[in-house]
Amino acid sequence: MIKVGILGLGAYLPSKKLTNLDLEKMVETSDEWIRTRTGIQERRIAAPHEKTSDLAIHAAKAALKDAKISADKIDLIIVATISPDSNFPSMACLVQKAIGAKKAAAFDISAACSGYLFAITTAKQYIQTGLYKRALVIAAERITTLIDWKNRDTCVLFGDGAGACVLGPVKTGGIKADFLQAFGDQNELMKVVAEETRSPFHPEKTSYTKLPFIQMQGQELFKIAVNSMADAIEAVLKKAKIKKQDIDCVVPHQANDRIISAVAKKLNIPKEKIFINIDKYGNMSAASIAVALYEAKKSKRIKKGDNVVLVTFGAGLVSAANVVKW
């Protein structure tokens, strides 16, 4: 089978920052409470004119530039998102048009916070089997459009952003192992809900309809997130035939610093081996790990020859992990 690796990385963050001090003026909360329980100090908020597709397009162009590959060389585009501009056209088709990747197949993946790794693993199979040669994988979220800004338990957690990578054949290294898992029987723990359902058979109904928003059961999710991410790391390391002590860097989903610390403790992985940027961006759903990977590489936390573990957990419930030899 063809070896597949990451040829380039990109990211895009909106310029507007929403700090914990800003949130103190919006809901009953405090900077200290948010920092001690989540590790978040600020997050980015997309401007009114910025759509999720805009974030995705910026990140895609940055990844192509980093890979030194033109858009017409891309055969496949996959976008991971739970906050698309609309149900259709797909985000991937909007990106395809914007960057001029006319010959690329294009579709979206919905796997919440695990979407980026689900998309990478999916794209890898197409390249590995020889069907396509190069793929552009993007995670983009304008998740703040799904937030109930009166709910202090959720509005402090999330931010907007996008990250991307170009995948293609490599001679050495590359993506060594993948692990995907779902726990659909526990989907009630985190979901997007609407308080009213549309019906063409009740046109006289004129009551106020609240936009869909995120609901989550934080305490239950915390335990499952820690255990599922730890299990995913152990499973993917076994597939890659790599020991924990051989890990050079872990790039986890940036949901909560306490979750990341608990996973590190459970697996006895030194915290200094784990890349964390949740303090700057909060939880960007699928885009979190995409942006974190980009920043880990840019800051030289990831170097040539390193064994890198990517791991995530999200609504669905779903978890995923990859081992990448850089």
Side-chain angles (χ1 to χ4, degrees):
M1 300 277 280
I2 297 168
K3 290 183 179 180
V4 181
I6 295 174
L7 308 180
L9 294 165
Y12 176 78
L13 286 309
S15 59
K16 179 178 173 57
K17 296 179 182 179
L18 185 70
T19 68
N20 293 346
L21 296 178
D22 294 327
L23 283 167
E24 286 183 353
K25 302 170 186 175
M26 298 167 59
V27 292
E28 189 180 342
T29 190
S30 70
D31 172 57
E32 182 184 7
W33 189 92
I34 299 169
R35 281 190 293 104
T36 56
R37 285 164 177 77
T38 69
I40 301 168
Q41 296 182 41
E42 60 186 35
R43 65 287 293 146
R44 300 297 180 92
I45 309 294
H49 67 275
E50 286 183 309
K51 298 178 180 179
T52 308
S53 58
D54 295 323
L55 311 185
I57 291 162
H58 283 302
K61 288 179 178 179
L64 289 171
K65 183 178 180 180
D66 186 52
K68 298 180 176 61
I69 290 174
S70 59
D72 62 345
K73 302 296 184 184
I74 296 297
D75 306 301
L76 173 66
I77 300 170
I78 304 178
V79 176
T81 186
I82 54 169
S83 54
D85 296 1
S86 63
N87 289 338
F88 56 84
S90 71
M91 296 278 293
C93 282
L94 295 178
V95 171
Q96 182 207 37
K97 176 184 177 182
I99 66 174
K102 293 184 178 181
K103 69 175 185 177
F107 60 87
D108 294 353
I109 279 182
S110 175
C113 303
S114 297
Y116 191 55
L117 299 194
F118 269 67
I120 285 176
T121 301
T122 300
K124 174 192 167 186
Q125 314 308 311
Y126 285 100
I127 301 169
Q128 212 169 24
T129 58
L131 182 60
Y132 296 127
K133 190 170 183 180
R134 297 181 188 89
L136 175 61
V137 176
I138 308 156
E141 302 284 16
R142 194 170 181 239
I143 199 168
T144 55
T145 59
L146 297 174
I147 302 303
D148 178 357
W149 289 96
K150 294 179 180 178
N151 185 335
R152 66 177 183 175
D153 294 330
T154 55
C155 73
V156 303
L157 300 175
F158 298 97
D160 301 327
C165 68
V166 176
L167 300 182
V170 293
K171 292 182 179 179
T172 59
I175 302 170
K176 309 294 287 185
D178 320 274
F179 178 81
L180 305 177
Q181 191 167 23
F183 314 91
D185 58 336
Q186 301 186 72
N187 65 77
E188 290 292 316
L189 296 181
M190 187 172 183
K191 58 185 179 178
V192 173
V193 298
E195 293 187 341
E196 185 174 292
T197 311
R198 297 180 194 171
S199 173
F201 304 109
H202 297 90
E204 73 282 356
K205 197 166 186 179
T206 57
S207 60
Y208 174 74
T209 302
K210 192 172 184 180
L211 291 172
F213 61 96
I214 291 172
Q215 281 186 351
M216 58 181 284
Q217 300 177 39
Q219 290 185 345
E220 291 82 357
L221 278 171
F222 186 98
K223 298 170 189 174
I224 297 172
V226 172
N227 290 330
S228 66
M229 287 174 71
D231 291 346
I233 290 175
E234 290 190 320
V236 81
L237 288 177
K238 186 176 181 180
K239 283 187 174 184
K241 299 179 181 178
I242 291 175
K243 297 178 180 178
K244 281 185 281 188
Q245 54 265 38
D246 296 326
I247 298 172
D248 295 295
C249 184
V250 177
V251 182
H253 171 52
Q254 310 288 313
N256 186 310
D257 186 62
R258 292 166 67 198
I259 291 176
I260 296 170
S261 297
V263 172
K265 183 178 180 180
K266 186 177 178 70
L267 294 180
N268 196 28
I269 296 174
K271 191 90 179 278
E272 56 267 22
K273 284 192 173 184
I274 301 177
F275 183 82
I276 300 173
N277 65 355
I278 190 174
D279 55 313
K280 298 186 292 182
Y281 308 124
N283 181 349
M284 297 181 287
S285 187
S288 277
I289 196 167
V291 173
L293 179 60
Y294 166 80
E295 291 199 341
K297 181 66 170 60
K298 187 178 179 181
S299 64
K300 295 185 169 53
R301 284 288 300 274
I302 296 173
K303 301 177 291 295
K304 180 73 173 176
D306 280 357
N307 289 313
V308 179
V309 174
L310 313 176
V311 63
T312 183
F313 166 84
L317 302 175
V318 288
S319 63
N322 300 91
V323 173
V324 184
K325 181 77 171 182
W326 221 264

